[in-house]
Amino acid sequence: MKYVTGARCVKCGRRYDAVPDLTTCECGGILDIEYDYELIRHDVNKDALSERRLCSMWRYREFLPVEDDTPEPPLRVGWSPLYDSARLCGELGLKKLYVKDDGLNPTASLKDRASSMAVAKACEAGQDTIACSSTGNAASSLAGNAAAAGLKTYIFVPERAPKGKVAQLLTFGARVISVQGNYEETFELSKAAIDEYGWYNRNAAINPYLSEGKKTVALEIMEQLGWEVPDFIAISVGDGCTIAGLWKGLKDLKGASFIDRLPRLISVQAAGCYPINRAVRDNTPIEPMEENTIADSIAVGVPRNPDKAMAAIRESDGITVEVTDREIMEAQSLLGVTAGVFGEPAGVTGTAGVKKLCNEGVLDKNCTVVSVVTGNGLKDVDNAIRFAGEPIKCMNDLEELKGKLFGGDR
Ligand SMILES: *Cc1c(COP(=O)(O)O)cnc(C)c1O
Ligand SMILES: [Zn+2]
């Protein structure tokens, strides 16, 4: 790998060679992939990037930890739209709010960025089977990206995973194990099975390449903004791998001098499950918490990647905020009505956090904010329907319709 210099433990600093099946440090710490920024800068610049026709996360090849001859996985992941939503800004009273709709990825969540990387690295490692545990989206995205590449998958999901996600898994031909227990137990069983059978591990907190896939969301946001750095980027947080990946992407861009400053992160968690935000605010170690929220994708009571996530929030001088299930569903509706964007509950949690911070006056009206929608609303229609209300029931009769629409006197 031309641009990768190695991997470093975020806890003890020990360095490793970047082999394809790299996992955690001997000390248990999570590894971070390091690059030769000079060389990247020498080989590619913003103008060269903007001319590339490849509209996927793989357009940032120099920033990604793969061999030169590793083929791009077949599904088209990334290069999701960044909407400048004037109407949403108006609602929130912000000068500029952009919405990055990552629910438009092939399996409908940001997790596709990590899964595309997992498929590329499994191929480099010569593995034909990948496994993971997930609250749903990591699983469905792995199943889809692996199916397209002809790899087998074993997927461990907690029993409460919503039906839309399980339907995706089964349709993509994964072997699905529905663990009768919570996410913690699901993770434990997947880990034991991976150790037993030697499958390629797509558990994001263990495999350091996956956050390198997720970081492409930051590279895209910056390129789509013409490299104008926003004041804040808001995102929902569960395990913490996504916010850590986002931050890594921003730091890599700064390291290679594509941007000259860094935005502040807004870490948004559910009021019913916020172990990372609590630890950051109280400056205490992570304590397990109940998983009590409608936003199943971020209902993570024992986060697997708190170190990197907490470092990202702190280094960025970030803001932590929690939102209730009601605030989450109000944000789902707000995004739908003002921007035409349909996000799943965890997908819109970042936007719910922005709304709350605007209402509380924490965010200055004049700042520029990017809110990442991390998953598509079609993943969980049951909850959406419960909050969105009923359609107007009407027979095939125009008079009846008139009465119902405009409240005539029938
Ligand atoms: C996984 C996920 C998140 C949070 O990512 P973490 O790495 O667990 O913090 C947020 N939103 C959606 C839709 C997700 O699937
Ligand atoms: Zn270490």
Side-chain angles (χ1 to χ4, degrees):
M1 289 186 279
K2 187 171 168 198
Y3 302 99
V4 173
T5 56
R8 184 189 297 274
C9 174
V10 296
K11 223 180 213 161
C12 74
R14 186 170 165 175
R15 300 197 74 246
Y16 292 84
D17 287 339
V19 294
D21 54 359
L22 201 61
T23 57
T24 45
C25 179
E26 271 175 6
C27 80
I30 295 169
L31 304 178
D32 228 356
I33 307 296
E34 295 186 321
Y35 294 83
D36 181 344
Y37 293 133
E38 286 284 324
L39 193 58
I40 293 178
R41 195 167 15 190
H42 177 267
D43 285 6
V44 65
N45 58 30
K46 298 179 208 173
D47 291 338
L49 258 186
S50 68
E51 269 161 29
R52 290 191 181 165
R53 293 168 71 180
L54 180 61
C55 287
S56 79
M57 61 180 258
W58 294 96
R59 72 194 264 114
Y60 304 105
R61 190 96 186 184
E62 290 85 353
F63 286 92
L64 295 176
V66 288
E67 301 292 347
D68 287 350
D69 56 356
T70 301
E72 287 147 32
L75 283 193
R76 204 221 63 167
V77 174
W79 204 247
S80 61
L82 181 78
Y83 297 122
D84 177 351
S85 179
R87 297 187 55 230
L88 185 54
C89 291
E91 273 313 308
L92 299 183
L94 270 179
K95 196 178 83 189
K96 267 291 179 216
L97 175 64
Y98 296 91
V99 175
K100 174 77 169 164
D101 188 3
D102 242 43
L104 293 185
N105 274 304
T107 79
S109 81
L110 187 149
K111 297 284 194 299
D112 279 338
R113 299 178 185 275
S115 294
S116 187
M117 181 60 70
V119 165
K121 296 310 283 185
C123 291
E124 282 182 4
Q127 300 259 31
D128 63 1
T129 306
I130 315 183
C132 82
S133 73
S134 159
T135 53
N137 285 333
S140 50
S141 95
L142 175 64
N145 283 275
L151 303 174
K152 288 195 289 281
T153 48
Y154 284 88
I155 311 280
F156 297 78
V157 291
E159 54 185 327
R160 68 172 151 75
K163 271 191 281 193
K165 295 175 185 176
V166 176
Q168 282 184 301
L169 290 177
L170 296 167
T171 303
F172 292 138
R175 283 284 197 76
V176 185
I177 298 102
S178 170
V179 180
Q180 304 300 294
N182 63 13
Y183 180 52
E184 165 79 7
E185 291 162 306
T186 306
F187 182 90
E188 297 292 333
L189 182 61
S190 77
K191 190 161 176 291
I194 287 166
D195 288 347
E196 177 78 18
Y197 297 109
W199 302 322
Y200 191 81
N201 190 336
R202 188 245 178 266
N203 280 329
I206 285 185
N207 182 329
Y209 295 113
L210 303 185
S211 53
E212 296 296 304
K214 287 184 170 183
K215 86 180 179 190
T216 57
V217 71
L219 309 190
E220 286 174 21
I221 289 171
M222 289 316 313
E223 189 180 357
Q224 289 169 319
L225 286 176
W227 311 102
E228 293 273 334
V229 181
D231 299 306
F232 294 95
I233 302 181
I235 198 155
S236 53
V237 174
D239 258 330
C241 303
T242 308
I243 196 168
L246 175 70
W247 185 238
K248 177 65 163 38
L250 293 164
K251 282 198 303 185
D252 282 351
L253 285 177
K254 183 148 182 287
S257 302
F258 278 59
I259 54 178
D260 55 9
R261 68 185 182 98
L262 292 163
R264 295 173 67 189
L265 300 182
I266 301 176
S267 164
V268 192
Q269 294 205 283
C273 187
Y274 58 101
I276 290 183
N277 279 0
R278 177 172 70 182
V280 169
R281 270 201 307 272
D282 299 352
N283 210 358
T284 50
I286 288 280
E287 289 287 340
M289 227 178 185
E290 268 186 68
E291 298 174 353
N292 189 5
T293 171
I294 202 168
D296 63 285
S297 305
I298 53 166
V300 183
V302 184
R304 294 288 158 192
N305 201 347
D307 293 345
K308 273 196 198 177
M310 287 163 65
I313 300 165
R314 289 196 174 116
E315 280 172 36
S316 81
D317 187 22
I319 300 178
T320 57
V321 58
E322 290 86 54
V323 287
T324 63
D325 284 356
R326 166 152 294 279
E327 288 166 331
I328 289 171
M329 298 316 284
E330 282 169 2
Q332 182 180 60
S333 156
L334 182 67
L335 272 165
V337 170
T338 62
V341 169
F342 184 20
E344 65 167 281
V348 304
T349 296
T351 311
V354 173
K355 180 165 180 249
K356 185 164 195 168
L357 294 174
C358 286
N359 291 344
E360 290 177 347
V362 177
L363 287 187
D364 186 283
K365 275 197 185 67
N366 289 317
C367 64
T368 301
V369 182
V370 176
S371 181
V372 185
V373 173
T374 49
N376 195 293
L378 291 173
K379 296 264 188 184
D380 182 5
V381 287
D382 288 349
N383 277 316
I385 282 175
R386 206 166 300 141
F387 282 81
E390 293 286 316
I392 299 163
K393 290 204 180 91
C394 184
M395 298 302 288
N396 178 11
D397 177 343
L398 184 59
E399 289 308 313
E400 180 181 338
L401 179 65
K402 284 183 184 167
K404 292 205 162 144
L405 285 182
F406 302 109
D409 46 1
R410 325 184 83 229

